[in-house]
Structure formats: structure tokens, C-alpha cells
Amino acid sequence: MTTAMKGELVVQRLESLFGHVRFNDDFWRERKEPFWLIVDTILSQNTSNANSGAALRNVLIKYNTIEDAFLANVQDIAHEIRQSGLYEAKARSISAVANEIMENYGGDTWSFIGGSYPSARERLRSILGIGPKTADVVLLFARDFDIIPVDTHVFRVSRRIGLAPQKGGYEAVKAALEDEIPVGKRKFAHVALIKFGREICNARQPQHWKCPLTDLCEYCQETSCVAIEPR
Ligand code: SF4
């Protein structure tokens, strides 16, 4: 079986398992302002959804517009987002994005993230604290580029299944997945692989007995994983 065939099968089975997955991005669409998506993605670095969600709620209560965030001092932002961890560094990033958009793009976030995928990605990455994953998540959800951002769950699951190289960093795994996952299915694959990694193929105790991918999974074949629920 080619890896492209395997990628297609993985998507089909995750669709059967989860059906329609929710993208959970109403908060910034309601404000028609992708700045808040950038903020949310910065807040979600290296923490749980619960912690970043709590920090985002504080930010959305305190600041209504990019200008509010631009005018705020970094310590005040840090105070609002302290539940998210690494809050001083994240506050500096949020402040830096707000400054960039206000000073160089006239307050227009769509211009800041506009243009081709490589140019928009480079612009985002020029901001302190925005790495490839954060830039890609923003561009997947705000611009609908057909890409697969790779977070810790996507890394682990795609390596276990054998869709991604065992060695190689972010760019290598992303490129492999984008070769294998069908066009138009990459946003679904990103969200579904994260959900699958949290709920079934978790880091410490993958629940092989709940998994619809055992016959496709290299890790399972190599370790003769037991697809029976322990008693
Ligand atoms: S068989 Fe086990 S290791 Fe493989 S994808 Fe499923 S849960 Fe993960």
C-alpha cells in the first residue's frame, strides 16, 4: 500500500469515527477579526485547552479591539493571560503582533496575513514568539490554505501510524502529511488527528482496543499491540 493510499484510508476512518469535527473558531469570526485567532494560537502554545481558553476569555473581556491591545502595556496583558503559562513571553508576542498590525498595516490584520502562503507565513514568523506551527494554524483557519499544522498529537499519531518520518522535524512531518492526505481534507485531518491523539492514541496509554486504525498502524504491528480492552 502506498502512503497516499494509507493517508486516504486514515482520513476515511477518522471521518467514520468522528463524523463532522467542530473547528471551534466562532470567537474570532463573530468579531470578524483574525487578530484574536493569532492571540488564541499564541495562548495555546505549550498548555492545555482549559488554560488557554481561560486566558482567552480574560483577554476578550478586557480588550475589544486590536487598538486596545496595542495601547495596553505588556505587564497588563501578562496579568490577563497568566493562566496560560509562559505568560510574560506570550504577552510580549501579543503586544508585538498588535504593534506590527497597527504601525505597519493600518490596523488591518487581513493585510498583515494576506498574500501568498509563503509570504504570509514569513510575515507571521517575523514576530517574536511565532513559530511555524502558530503561523500555520493561523493560516489554516483564517485563510483556508490547504495545509496541515503539526502539533504534538499530530507528530505522535502520524509517526505511530507510519505516515510521517520517525526522524525529521516540523517541516519534514508537515511535508510528508501534505503529500499523503488528500487535497481538501487537510483541515479535517489536522483537527481529527489532534482529537484522535487526545482521546484514543494518547502518549502514555494508547487505547488500541478503541482504534479503527490497528491494521494500518506500524507501531501496532511492530509491538504486536493488543487491541483488547484490559480488564
Ligand atoms: S493502533 Fe494504537 S498506536 Fe496505532 S494508531 Fe491506534 S491507538 Fe495509536
Side-chain angles (χ1 to χ4, degrees):
M1 181 187 305
T2 64
T3 52
M5 288 163 69
K6 187 188 260 194
E8 198 166 341
L9 273 175
V10 167
V11 167
Q12 284 171 8
R13 295 205 193 158
L14 292 178
E15 282 175 335
S16 303
L17 182 66
F18 294 133
H20 177 72
V21 291
R22 216 174 114 64
F23 296 137
N24 200 21
D25 59 353
D26 297 346
F27 66 94
W28 72 268
R29 291 194 186 279
E30 279 161 14
R31 289 191 176 188
K32 298 187 174 53
E33 179 46 81
F35 172 71
W36 303 112
L37 172 65
I38 301 174
V39 171
D40 179 47
T41 313
I42 291 170
L43 292 175
S44 69
Q45 294 168 353
N46 301 306
T47 194
S48 66
N49 275 1
N51 289 341
S52 67
L56 180 67
R57 277 193 294 281
N58 287 348
V59 166
L60 292 174
I61 289 168
K62 180 92 178 181
Y63 307 113
N64 268 321
T65 63
I66 307 175
E67 196 171 8
D68 293 341
F70 168 67
L71 293 173
N73 69 46
V74 174
Q75 287 74 26
D76 287 344
I77 298 174
H79 179 75
E80 297 302 327
I81 65 169
R82 60 200 179 282
Q83 281 151 290
S84 74
L86 303 171
Y87 54 91
E88 288 177 344
K90 290 178 181 178
R92 281 194 292 275
S93 282
I94 291 167
S95 183
V97 180
N99 285 358
E100 179 70 8
I101 295 169
M102 290 303 293
E103 290 181 349
N104 295 323
Y105 294 87
D108 181 0
T109 310
W110 289 110
S111 297
F112 171 60
I113 60 169
S116 68
Y117 168 62
S119 65
R121 190 184 204 229
E122 200 177 310
R123 247 175 274 129
L124 278 159
R125 290 207 57 192
S126 71
I127 304 292
L128 181 80
I130 295 191
K133 187 194 82 178
T134 299
D136 286 338
V137 169
V138 169
L139 294 173
L140 172 69
F141 288 101
R143 296 286 314 281
D144 272 327
F145 285 115
D146 204 19
I147 55 176
I148 304 190
V150 181
D151 82 333
T152 180
H153 300 289
V154 177
F155 254 115
R156 182 181 65 258
V157 172
S158 59
R159 281 185 171 145
R160 281 180 175 166
I161 298 169
L163 285 175
Q166 297 303 317
K167 292 185 180 161
Y170 182 93
E171 301 297 347
V173 172
K174 175 175 176 286
L177 288 173
E178 287 171 5
D179 271 351
E180 293 153 354
I181 302 295
V183 170
K185 294 289 184 183
R186 293 170 187 158
K187 184 189 271 185
F188 169 83
H190 167 75
V191 177
L193 286 170
I194 292 173
K195 187 172 165 63
F196 181 71
R198 284 194 181 123
E199 295 177 6
I200 295 178
C201 190
N202 53 57
R204 294 211 178 132
Q205 257 195 329
Q207 299 174 32
H208 313 298
W209 61 94
K210 289 185 184 168
C211 179
L213 306 175
T214 47
D215 59 318
L216 302 174
C217 175
E218 287 181 3
Y219 174 92
C220 198
Q221 284 150 20
E222 282 161 14
T223 60
S224 305
C225 78
V226 180
I228 300 171
E229 184 169 8
R231 307 180 80 195

